Amino acid sequence: MSQSVLLLDKIKIEKLMLHYASFKVSRNAPGVVFAAKLPDAAITAYKSGKVLFQGGGALREAAIWGNADGQPSTKNPNVKGETLPEGFSGLSVLGSDETGTGDFFGPVTVAACFVSSDQIELVRELGVKDSKQLNDDLMRRIAPDLQETLIHSVLTLTNEKYNEVQAKGWSQGKIKALLHNQALKHVLRKMNGEKPDYILIDQFAERGIYYNHIKNESEIIRENVLFSTKAEGLHVAVAAASITARVAFLEEMDRLSAVAGITLPKGAGKVVDEAAAKILLKNGEAALKAMTKWHFANAQKAKKIAAMKR
Ligand code: MN
């Protein structure tokens, strides 16, 4: 049976008690302050602050309150997704994740990495363990080792191509789904008939929506596919994919920054509007379009700023 133990503070425990209130069961064991029974997981909170998660859904539930290493997570504690099998974090898993979808500048990148059960320790040692705390520089350092070690695929959808398919009416959901399917397909091909125990997609859409997006593809990866949000905390394969996708994004941003002659900012905030206006004035609209997700509101904002400066 899979289990996970977290040490949580008082506030977290109160939140946890509220969260599982409808699953509450009474438990008279010494030191127990709260117990809940879900269809696939038992949760026991102790006076000491220790919380024990047991059963098939233990890791999934524990990931809501802390990461896979047992460290309390400061991130939004909402993991949505499917029930993972027991001992999931120790299985051979092909994981996938994307990045760049919220950035005006730069591409959308998707990566898929296969981590066999006997590679998990090594991947952790390479530094993937604390993927939540990793900054861009650390990820750049880790990524080459991961790419050397793991069977993987990384896809970069350039802004030109992105704008072309977006103009055809493709949603970001469809774009992401097609890229995930393609990356998974590539890795499975490289695995030469070896099969992962499971495939885990960091969830950006419900299963039905995901498969609807890719229904016209000639090859659709379906076997043993699971979806979960915050999946990078559930298996290192997704954490590795997340890092790989991020570094591919950063590398394309480096290239585009060189073209633009300025360091392109990430995200979609005011700094981005200002930088875009500069490029508009210096290099023109076509040049700006070629390095951005043109349908974002930033394009119009940049045009306004540029018009005032002209
Ligand atoms: Mn993701």
Side-chain angles (χ1 to χ4, degrees), residues 96-99 180 202-204 230-232 238 242:
S96 65
D97 196 12
E98 81 286 333
T99 198
H180 274 263
D202 189 41
Q203 184 171 320
F204 54 90
K230 312 250 177 266
E232 70 277 3
V238 181
S242 172

Side-chain angles (χ1 to χ4, degrees), residues 134-143 247 250:
L134 288 179
N135 58 32
D136 288 348
D137 287 340
L138 272 169
M139 285 198 260
R140 283 186 200 260
R141 264 188 273 157
I142 295 169
V247 171
L250 294 173

Side-chain angles (χ1 to χ4, degrees), residues 3 31-32 34 41 43 48 53 102 113 180 186 190 192-193 212 269 290 292:
Q3 69 169 53
V32 173
F34 176 81
I43 295 136
S48 63
F53 300 82
C113 293
H180 274 263
H186 289 165
K190 290 182 198 172
N192 277 325
N212 191 48
T292 60

